[in-house]
Amino acid sequence: MHAISPYMVTVVDGKSKMQDLWNLNGSSLHAYLKQHYFPGIAGRQQVVQKPTSDESGKVYIFKKLYTGTPTSIAGVYDSGLFGFETNIVDTVSVSSVPVFTRSKDQSDMRPFHFSFYLPSSKNVADNLRGMLLLSRIDTSGIRQMVMPDLIQSFDRAFPGLKLRIEKIVPSAVVSSLLQASKIRKIRLFQHTLPKDYSQVLGANDVKRFYEFEAVIKPQRGTPFSDVNWFLDAIKNKTPASSIFTIPNSTIDRVKVEVLKGKKVRTIDVGDLDKVSPVIQITKPKLGADGHIEPQFWLQEADSLADDLFSETGVNLPTWNSTV
């Protein structure tokens, strides 16, 4: 699964007063990132965690910046885990003989894209908040690996100022994306099979299931297709199990697929009483290497940034990033 996680970007002084991102001691966050920070770390391998008995080692390399736009900065990191041996097998030949054994000091690096959005307006209030969108692959992301170094570097370069990269209030993200949308599907997930299902399967078959999914497709024009009840559930922190009942089971996670105009989005909201949104990319365009195409990811990120900023009242030109 390819997805995007949104974060709010601000700079504050010693009194926690937010600063104009385009006027930081005679410079700007955009200039610092594009002209100083990213060129300074390009191609450098950074081990952020050595392997232990409890955790894998973590390593990343900043690869390059994309063209971006005058008010955005986008690029790609390679990141992976190490500290353990793995056998690489050829799935085409269906042979059980490994074609390669990766040593515990080697890492399987995957590309993770990112994009900073930094509004520039004559209205200084619009310049106080930026946004960072980070790509996720399945359950893996890079925020905890790459952001600490950036924050520390910024703080050294701008004494007296602090760079903050924080999760956007989850309910605000979901509300922004659901406004003026229609619900197409509600997907309910459970980590184990409901008891009624497991009783009709053999013990060995039950072990082959790691997740149960129930899909609800609201009929058009019915209350369930309207987003307001869903927004109310999030606002009131109503557990999903209080709304949907699956006999002998508990709902661990909820995804909602919405249609806004011609755009379909799937939002992984976790549970309704503890929202932690991840915006799933619908039908990602993959390259010959099996990874999501950079230009496609940028288009998805630009579209998401447009929607999130527009709901905060910031009226800006549509972003159109390029590789």
Side-chain angles (χ1 to χ4, degrees):
M1 180 191 78
H2 292 274
I4 299 175
S5 293
Y7 300 89
M8 187 66 72
V9 178
T10 58
V11 172
V12 300
D13 62 13
K15 297 181 179 180
S16 296
K17 181 181 178 181
M18 289 193 294
Q19 305 294 299
D20 183 343
L21 300 179
W22 290 88
N23 185 16
L24 303 174
N25 297 343
S27 184
S28 69
L29 181 57
H30 187 281
Y32 175 70
L33 294 174
K34 190 167 186 177
Q35 299 172 18
H36 300 283
Y37 179 71
F38 286 117
I41 65 168
R44 190 174 74 207
Q45 183 186 124
Q46 304 218 60
V47 174
V48 295
Q49 179 176 293
K50 293 185 177 180
T52 67
S53 58
D54 297 319
E55 295 185 276
S56 301
K58 298 178 181 178
V59 60
Y60 73 85
I61 301 171
F62 169 67
K63 299 296 288 184
K64 66 177 181 178
L65 285 177
Y66 298 136
T67 301
T69 74
T71 57
S72 68
I73 296 174
V76 60
Y77 287 91
D78 277 357
S79 175
L81 305 177
F82 68 100
F84 48 89
E85 287 188 359
T86 54
N87 291 326
I88 309 299
V89 298
D90 185 345
T91 59
V92 175
S93 67
V94 200
S95 170
S96 60
V97 180
V99 295
F100 177 73
T101 298
R102 191 187 76 181
S103 77
K104 64 180 183 179
D105 295 323
Q106 296 174 328
S107 177
D108 178 17
M109 306 291 276
R110 295 189 291 176
F112 290 84
H113 309 281
F114 70 90
S115 193
F116 282 90
Y117 296 92
L118 307 170
S120 177
S121 170
K122 293 181 180 179
N123 181 4
V124 175
D126 292 343
N127 301 344
L128 301 180
R129 296 177 180 84
M131 190 178 298
L132 169 63
L133 300 184
L134 295 176
S135 66
R136 292 183 63 83
I137 304 173
D138 297 326
T139 58
S140 299
I142 58 171
R143 181 179 66 89
Q144 293 182 345
M145 274 197 271
V146 304
M147 289 301 110
D149 180 72
L150 168 57
I151 292 170
Q152 292 170 14
S153 177
F154 177 91
D155 293 351
R156 289 193 299 267
F158 293 88
L161 299 179
K162 295 287 184 183
L163 175 63
R164 291 181 176 174
I165 298 175
E166 303 166 313
K167 287 184 178 180
I168 299 176
V169 178
S171 57
V173 175
V174 177
S175 297
S176 298
L177 298 178
L178 290 183
Q179 294 295 340
S181 298
K182 291 295 181 183
I183 295 177
R184 291 184 51 172
K185 295 178 185 177
I186 301 165
R187 298 164 63 188
L188 310 175
F189 294 85
Q190 182 178 333
H191 297 325
T192 56
L193 276 177
K195 187 177 180 181
D196 291 349
Y197 286 83
S198 59
Q199 286 178 342
V200 299
L201 296 172
N204 291 332
D205 291 328
V206 171
K207 294 177 183 178
R208 294 190 177 98
F209 289 86
Y210 70 92
E211 192 168 59
F212 172 82
E213 176 183 355
V215 180
I216 300 172
K217 297 182 179 180
Q219 192 172 10
R220 289 184 182 181
T222 61
F224 264 121
S225 68
D226 187 87
V227 298
N228 289 323
W229 71 269
F230 201 84
L231 292 171
D232 288 340
I234 292 171
K235 181 180 179 181
N236 297 324
K237 297 185 177 180
T238 306
S241 56
S242 297
I243 304 172
F244 308 100
T245 302
I246 301 176
N248 301 314
S249 64
T250 345
I251 298 169
D252 296 306
R253 199 168 85 254
V254 179
K255 291 185 181 182
V256 57
E257 183 181 296
V258 297
L259 177 67
K260 186 174 185 178
K262 295 183 178 180
K263 183 73 176 177
V264 176
R265 280 209 176 95
T266 300
I267 309 165
D268 187 341
V269 298
D271 199 349
L272 300 183
D273 61 338
K274 297 178 182 178
V275 177
S276 179
V278 172
I279 295 85
Q280 188 173 325
I281 296 177
T282 306
K283 297 180 180 179
K285 187 177 181 181
L286 306 181
D289 57 2
H291 296 298
I292 193 168
E293 289 192 355
Q295 186 61 52
F296 181 87
W297 190 89
L298 287 175
Q299 290 171 353
E300 291 291 309
D302 287 349
S303 174
L304 178 58
D306 289 338
D307 284 348
L308 291 175
F309 271 116
S310 65
E311 292 299 332
T312 64
V314 179
N315 188 16
L316 296 168
T318 301
W319 276 286
N320 189 17
S321 303
T322 58
V323 174

